[in-house]
Amino acid sequence: MEVANGGLRVAVVGSGPSAFYTAEALFKTAPNVRVDLFDRLPVPFGLVRGGVAPDHQKIKGVVKVYDEIAENPGFRFFGNVMIGRDLQVADLVAHYHQIVYAYGCESDTKLGAPGEDLRGVHSATEFVGWYNGHPDHRHRTFDLAKATRVALVGNGNVAMDVARVLLAAPDHLESTDIADYALPVLRQSRVREVVLLGRRGPAQAAFSPKEIEEIAELSGVDVVVRSADAQLDPLSAAWLEKAAARSQKRNVKFLQERAAHGEGSNGKKLRCRFLVGPTALLGDAGRVSAVRVQHMTLVADTDGTPRPKALDSFEDLPADLVFKAIGYRGIPLPGVPFDDRKGIVPNTDGRVLDKVGGTPLVGHYVAGWCKRGPTGLIGTNSLDAKATVEAMTQDRAAGRLLANGGGDVAETLAARSVDAVTWEDWQRLDAWELAEGQKRGKLRHKLSAIDEMMKVVRELRGATVAR
Ligand code: NAP
């Protein structure tokens, strides 16, 4: 099938890093392409806005790159448009030659342990979304005023963000773009101790060296590691020598130094425990009071990677609150195949399969976390998107495209009275949030409710028309 005169039309579902990198790769490789990004929220940038911690503004600076991508004349943004509600996949099929699903992983992995539904047990996804003003999580409550000890399950970089926000002095966040409602709650927090629970050993800790070191540098906080926890078993020692990355060696060195340093004299502690797997959350009158952990040992799997194996001994660790930071998880999009076991869209090299282990669907692609699972840093999505766009280019050359019956999706949305947020609307809202932030001595006054965002978008549109 040939692309007619109007040029190639591509729909991208999502507007986070992988969506923007997909658009960028398309602009570089496909002449005369129009790329439309759809987001169910009125605002773009996915986890860069709703996930990256407010004290990590340097990481958030990546949006400058996305702003430049959006300057391409072939770029359009359709915010406040939900696929499955305002538009169906069948509508995208009718309007586009190729569709890329880049909608990330919006849910969290469940522990599957008894007691997970006790009060005081939260996922990191909820807490991160809450302090970042994500519309899905703005109403959540965290009883930080009554908690002194928090158990944090998992030791990846999301766990580091949660630990840092819980332990740092709230003043540290005052001038950032943290959600307005979060700061008073953090100020009332009585949390003194965060106990980090890793099911493997120090050599397999999932955090980046920079992230754990940043916590050790916080004023008033000690990172504490017991000598027994810092010691390497023979399997990990050999693995660290032969197969581990530089970052893992640096983590082990850091953790062993902390073990030698002892308890420290600061009032707040991040205690790193290793080789402990939570098996149950214990409660008192419906509220979590402890985490039962099972001690682990490490055994090599078929490729030599050390994996946890449960021992026959347990320990109950008292905790007033529990946060699970054991990974994000994708959710299905109506009309799009889904691999429920992996929590991703089934695909081969970015080509969506009609079912798990099935055959590629013509015109449907996937990029980012919903393609490969929730791993890697923001930049990882650039290479990932390029690979998907490469598959799209090959398929175009072979004539494997959707029919694209013509017509503009903007007209379809207008006919359905969907108030889509354009890129110009977002730019005005962005400028408004920054200006309102400045008035409050903050980087940004982030709106967190969809109706509030839409109210301001409409007011700013009116102001532009009147001018
Ligand atoms: P992650 O890096 O995959 O870490 C997940 C952690 O949960 C691991 O420690 C894992 O242990 C543990 N875990 C998984 N299932 C478990 C279970 N059933 N019981 C106990 N522990 C369990 O995931 P993440 O922290 O959600 O981060 C996602 C991605 O975003 C990562 O690539 C991360 O680097 C990135 N990120 C980066 C930053 C930053 O650069 N500042 C910030 C946030 C996120 P095992 O290792 O044993 O599986």
Side-chain angles (χ1 to χ4, degrees):
M1 192 174 305
E2 293 278 311
V3 175
N5 290 342
L8 180 70
R9 293 179 178 198
V10 180
V12 179
V13 181
S15 72
S18 56
F20 274 93
Y21 292 126
T22 299
E24 182 181 41
L26 282 163
F27 290 135
K28 283 188 178 156
T29 54
N32 199 18
V33 61
R34 199 178 74 200
V35 185
D36 292 345
L37 262 61
F38 294 88
D39 202 302
R40 68 185 174 93
L41 298 183
V43 291
F45 304 143
L47 275 182
V48 176
R49 179 174 166 113
V52 174
D55 55 345
H56 276 181
Q57 290 296 323
K58 228 166 129 182
I59 298 179
K60 283 184 195 268
V62 72
V63 300
K64 286 201 196 89
V65 175
Y66 307 156
D67 285 340
E68 278 170 25
I69 296 166
E71 276 172 22
N72 191 297
F75 177 93
R76 294 194 302 183
F77 176 63
F78 292 89
N80 196 35
V81 177
M82 192 195 245
I83 307 303
R85 181 191 64 190
D86 306 311
L87 285 176
Q88 305 304 321
V89 167
D91 295 315
L92 299 180
V93 167
H95 286 297
Y96 295 92
H97 296 104
Q98 294 182 311
I99 305 165
V100 185
Y101 304 102
Y103 64 89
C105 289
E106 290 196 298
S107 185
D108 54 283
T109 305
K110 304 287 175 269
L111 203 50
E116 208 165 352
D117 53 355
L118 285 166
R119 282 200 316 280
V121 178
H122 305 281
S123 75
T125 314
E126 293 164 3
F127 186 59
V128 169
W130 172 77
Y131 64 62
N132 270 320
H134 191 293
D136 290 356
H137 302 293
R138 62 190 295 265
H139 297 295
R140 301 202 184 272
T141 52
F142 301 92
D143 223 347
L144 301 179
K146 292 204 191 110
T148 55
R149 183 183 292 146
V150 171
L152 181 50
V153 185
N155 59 18
N157 285 333
V158 169
M160 292 295 101
D161 285 342
V162 170
R164 203 175 61 255
V165 170
L166 287 172
L167 290 170
D171 291 354
H172 164 77
L173 297 166
E174 203 172 36
S175 61
T176 67
D177 60 351
I178 190 165
D180 277 357
Y181 53 72
L183 207 54
V185 178
L186 292 173
R187 285 198 196 288
Q188 282 166 14
S189 167
R190 290 178 53 230
V191 173
R192 290 287 166 272
E193 199 168 299
V194 174
V195 186
L196 193 67
L197 304 175
R199 62 180 170 181
R200 295 194 284 162
Q204 296 84 27
F207 47 67
S208 305
K210 232 168 64 136
E211 302 300 317
I212 186 87
E213 286 160 16
E214 188 177 341
I215 297 186
E217 283 159 16
L218 289 175
S219 137
V221 180
D222 287 309
V223 173
V224 183
V225 188
R226 304 182 316 179
S227 304
D229 276 297
Q231 259 164 32
L232 292 187
D233 59 295
L235 175 65
S236 292
W239 177 75
L240 196 69
E241 188 68 27
K242 276 198 300 206
R246 264 225 317 266
S247 60
Q248 286 158 322
K249 291 182 179 142
R250 186 163 143 195
N251 277 345
V252 169
K253 185 167 174 280
F254 171 84
L255 292 164
Q256 291 182 339
E257 279 166 12
R258 295 321 300 170
H261 185 260
E263 183 71 14
S265 57
N266 285 310
K268 292 183 183 174
K269 312 282 180 198
L270 174 69
R271 296 190 187 279
C272 302
R273 292 286 311 266
F274 294 100
L275 296 171
V276 280
T279 56
L281 302 168
L282 311 179
D284 187 6
R287 217 190 144 74
V288 74
S289 57
V291 182
R292 175 158 299 159
V293 295
Q294 187 162 19
H295 297 134
M296 301 280 161
T297 187
L298 293 170
V299 290
D301 71 7
T302 43
D303 70 359
T305 308
R307 299 278 174 218
K309 180 169 177 264
L311 296 170
D312 199 16
S313 72
F314 295 83
E315 190 181 340
D316 289 350
L317 304 170
D320 306 313
L321 285 176
V322 174
F323 288 90
K324 299 168 289 168
I326 57 171
Y328 285 83
R329 193 182 151 78
I331 48 175
L333 191 69
V336 182
F338 191 69
D339 181 339
D340 200 42
R341 195 177 63 79
K342 293 186 180 160
I344 58 168
V345 177
N347 71 94
T348 304
D349 302 330
R351 293 180 177 94
V352 176
L353 304 178
D354 59 351
K355 59 178 190 240
V356 179
T359 49
L361 287 169
V362 171
H364 297 257
Y365 302 86
V366 65
W369 277 9
C370 64
K371 169 185 175 185
R372 66 176 198 278
T375 58
L377 305 178
I378 290 171
T380 314
N381 295 300
S382 174
L383 275 183
D384 178 290
K386 277 183 193 149
T388 292
V389 169
E390 174 60 32
M392 294 167 75
T393 309
Q394 287 168 9
D395 290 353
R396 271 202 316 277
R400 286 196 296 271
L401 289 172
L402 293 168
N404 173 24
D408 189 349
V409 77
E411 286 160 19
T412 306
L413 288 168
R416 291 177 193 177
S417 305
V418 178
D419 192 0
V421 172
T422 64
W423 191 252
E424 293 68 33
D425 286 332
W426 155 246
Q427 285 178 312
R428 285 190 288 267
L429 178 60
D430 183 32
W432 182 91
E433 283 191 340
L434 292 171
E436 288 296 313
Q438 213 170 33
K439 287 185 203 161
R440 294 164 169 81
K442 296 180 67 175
L443 281 176
R444 175 185 293 274
H445 172 60
K446 209 192 248 177
L447 293 181
S448 58
I450 291 180
D451 53 357
E452 260 183 317
M453 293 174 186
M454 290 308 295
K455 184 167 168 280
V456 176
V457 162
R458 289 179 191 125
E459 281 170 6
L460 294 171
R461 270 183 202 154
T464 316
V465 172
R467 221 180 282 137

